[in-house]
Amino acid sequence: MRFIQDNSDENLIFNISLARMTFLSCKEKNFLSKKLDSSRSLALLSMEEIFSFLGRPVPARALWDGRKNLAAAEKAAQRCELMGISVIHNGQREYPKMLRNIDNPPFVLYCRGDAGALNQKCVSVVGTRRLTANGRRAAHDFAYGAARSGCTVVSGLAYGADSCAHKGAVDAFFDALADGDSDSLGKTIAVLPSGIDEIVPAANKPLAEKILKSGGCIVSEYEPGMPMANWHFIARNRIVAGLSPAVVVIEAPAGSGALITADLALESGRDVFFHESAVSQQAQEVSAVIKRSLDARFARKEVSRYKIENCVEKYLESGAALIRDYDDYCKALAEMPGERGISVIQEDLF
């Protein structure tokens, strides 16, 4: 097993100690890593001293116990060694180049499997958990075509579109392996919202094992043993979006988390495409049911207007392209933004 780090256990523990400081940005953690000389120096600082270094007031909700943080980092480092988990710091060459350029990238990435996949040509595939049968085929077949063409598929290992996309890439590997031609294939990367040692959802553990067996990898910005929080899901989505030059949305009714990923991609200067299954009759029927539920919840002030208005049509009207398969995606990626737009829907689908 190999740690991708600065060749010492002390640097590993120092990086994990800083990564655990969720109240700091990546830029601030990098600043502290240059200002201080060890994890123990960090552990001795008070909250006031930390923010004095950074030149800003102490956040109202920030909690800090340096000694406990150091003990947790040492324990996490031991778990990484025992489990064969690689730890990649954002300043190292192994850190994915695409991800380094997003706003507030992960300070470190924990990785199981082949970390080299993180710097391969990638496409991110997302969508609702409530996929139609057509959507399940679309996610699987798009990812299968991408992997067979040498492109690595990134997704979040959730139910629905994520799982189907991972399965498509895994199937491409094992089919090619049977044919004796698996060397030039793309892999698949699963980004977790949990600690690197916990597969979420648990029912996808067999799929996670296949991802590793097929040469892919599982990544998280959270150390082994880290408890999961609700905000981790959106934080995970920024990594899914950030690893690729483009995000492909399979199906996504209004309010879907997949559309949050689409927004995060656009904020990072990435392209967003929609599979034609997103505007199929079956997908529109599912969207209509969810829209009625969201309208009722909005009337009760349980959800925001953004959640209702963030829908597939909004992106298409703004010029997002519809694609049919991976080959079509490659063509769309090379086109000028807005060249396809709504006309494809009317010309080719209805």
Side-chain angles (χ1 to χ4, degrees), residues 86 106 108-112 190-198 218-224 226 232 236 239:
S86 298
V108 300
L109 287 175
Y110 299 91
C111 180
R112 295 168 60 189
V191 184
L192 299 177
S194 54
I196 186 63
D197 59 333
E198 181 182 4
I218 299 170
V219 300
S220 174
E221 64 181 313
Y222 308 112
E223 69 194 59
M226 175 69 77
H232 287 180
R236 182 266 308 274
I239 301 176

Side-chain angles (χ1 to χ4, degrees), residues 176-187:
L177 186 65
D179 295 337
D181 184 29
S182 61
D183 292 340
S184 61
L185 286 181
K187 311 300 183 182

